[in-house]
Amino acid sequence: MDSVLARVSEATGVPADLLGGFLSVLAASAATGRLPARADMDALRECGALAAERGIPLRVLADACLHAAEITAGGAFGAVRRGMAAYIEGYEEAQRAALRQEEEARRLFVDDLLQGRADAERAEHFGLRLAGAYVVTVARPGTPMAAGDPLAGRIEQALVARFGSHNILVAVRDGLLVCVAPGALTAASGEFTHHVRSALTDWRVGVGRPHKGPGGIVTSYREAVNAIDLGGRLGLRAQVLKAADLLVFPVLLRDRDAIVDLVSTVLGPLTSARGGPEPLLETLEAIFASQGNHTAAARRLGVSTRAITYRLERIRRLTGFSPSDPTQRFTLETAVLGARLLEWPAHPLT
């Protein structure tokens, strides 16, 4: 048997210790005519798993088994089939286990990365070099995504195929689809958004600013998420929101007392208007979005130009501020933005 093992191992490159059990099964089956017992099958499954761990291709392992059968098995091909099945089951189970372990390691890494707990060595394993600057882009679907959603893998493969770089990571976290890409790869965020738009019907994307290091990735991630949140609170129509374009709003929120005082002082009188302040706030938003053009604002709101003119005059009388005056326009626009940030008038100013 040792000579047969040596011949097969030399011919196929499969180590002899992985084939000894198989040859024993063949010999016993040839002598008795019986199929391998359960213990024999379990031993072969273990050999299949060992082959997977050593990186031996399944095709090579199968060829070695068939080569050994040609030499020793004679007509015992029932044993050959069962033996081969056991090898393959063990091999494939080892591969599935390795895949599950890698997926779990990746999930834990993404959690740590977005909380600033990832180290450089682990990051290198997943293709990220934390010394560089990274931009995080976040997509929020209408329905939260489940961890392990295959869309993340498909988008990551598409990005790698286009940019030829493995320095990109796409994953699901807290129901969001997250893309981490080098800051120098400026087109990556747009490409990620393109794939999100193609795959989802209800979505919104936030883009953080580039920052360096593990802490920089966390900062960019929070900026991207906050951009989406601000877009919702401000009633912005754009589906793609960049943190760099919204820097004024965190500044406003840092001094809540001041913004509450501004909204109360400037817009508080609108509560006495018939129908409440909301239609007048919407009118101001439409005017600001249309750069003061009454016709464009009326089109946005689906009302007549005369209605816009009437509402603006009503605002002027109640508040003493007019958007046609440059200084007063700035005060009004800041107050309206503050009202949206505070979710007033739906929520009282406190």
Side-chain angles (χ1 to χ4, degrees), residues 7-336:
R7 287 170 58 190
V8 175
S9 182
E10 182 177 357
T12 63
V14 176
D17 65 310
L18 298 178
L19 297 171
F22 185 65
L23 288 177
S24 297
V25 166
L26 291 181
S29 181
T32 65
R34 295 176 181 175
L35 294 176
R38 178 176 294 181
D40 295 324
M41 298 292 287
D42 290 341
L44 293 179
R45 288 189 184 92
E46 292 179 7
C47 288
L50 285 173
E53 292 173 5
R54 296 182 190 181
I56 299 171
L58 184 58
R59 177 184 55 80
V60 174
L61 180 62
D63 182 64
C65 292
L66 293 173
H67 188 54
E70 287 178 3
I71 298 173
T72 63
F77 283 105
V80 172
R81 287 196 300 272
R82 292 199 67 182
M84 288 292 298
Y87 266 120
I88 293 171
E89 286 175 12
Y91 193 103
E92 292 178 343
E93 177 54 35
Q95 287 189 320
R96 287 192 293 268
L99 183 60
R100 288 193 296 269
Q101 290 174 358
E102 182 70 10
E103 288 175 348
E104 178 63 12
R106 182 185 175 93
R107 185 188 66 78
L108 293 174
F109 168 71
V110 170
D111 283 345
D112 288 345
L113 178 71
L114 298 180
Q115 295 182 55
R117 298 197 302 257
D119 57 76
E121 184 176 350
R122 289 174 66 202
E124 286 278 355
H125 175 75
F126 292 99
L128 301 182
R129 299 175 181 86
L130 298 185
Y134 281 87
V135 168
V136 178
T137 307
V138 171
R140 176 176 289 169
T143 301
M145 297 184 70
D149 192 300
L151 178 60
R154 292 199 300 270
I155 293 180
E156 184 174 271
Q157 290 174 4
L159 293 179
V160 170
R162 172 175 174 182
F163 298 110
S165 168
H166 293 280
N167 208 19
I168 293 173
L169 183 145
V170 179
V172 176
R173 183 174 191 271
D174 294 336
L176 307 172
L177 191 59
V178 180
C179 174
V180 180
L185 205 58
T186 54
S189 179
E191 182 71 7
F192 170 77
T193 302
H194 165 71
H195 289 287
V196 168
R197 182 184 293 110
S198 300
L200 303 174
T201 55
D202 185 8
W203 57 275
R204 191 167 236 182
V205 163
V207 184
R209 293 179 297 161
H211 298 279
K212 287 187 176 182
I217 290 177
V218 177
T219 300
S220 188
Y221 170 69
R222 290 174 178 168
E223 287 179 344
V225 174
N226 288 340
I228 296 175
D229 291 339
L230 281 171
R233 293 167 67 179
L234 293 168
L236 301 180
R237 297 184 180 184
Q239 284 186 286
V240 180
L241 299 163
K242 297 181 179 180
D245 297 336
L246 303 173
L247 291 176
V248 66
F249 302 111
V251 173
L252 290 175
L253 288 173
R254 285 192 192 108
D255 193 344
R256 183 181 177 85
D257 290 342
I259 200 67
V260 166
D261 183 50
L262 176 67
V263 173
S264 176
T265 301
V266 175
L267 302 178
L270 298 182
T271 56
S272 63
R274 186 173 60 185
E278 188 60 40
L280 300 180
L281 288 176
E282 290 177 351
T283 299
L284 286 172
E285 287 175 327
I287 281 291
F288 297 143
S290 305
Q291 290 76 48
N293 186 307
H294 288 205
T295 302
R299 191 180 303 117
R300 275 177 173 267
L301 295 178
V303 299
S304 66
T305 304
R306 180 178 298 179
I308 294 293
T309 302
Y310 169 79
R311 290 182 185 181
L312 291 177
E313 177 60 21
R314 186 67 175 152
I315 291 168
R316 187 192 66 77
R317 289 182 179 179
L318 288 172
T319 67
F321 290 87
S322 171
S324 61
D325 180 280
T327 303
Q328 293 181 359
R329 172 194 168 95
F330 176 79
T331 301
L332 269 175
E333 188 165 9
T334 305
V336 169

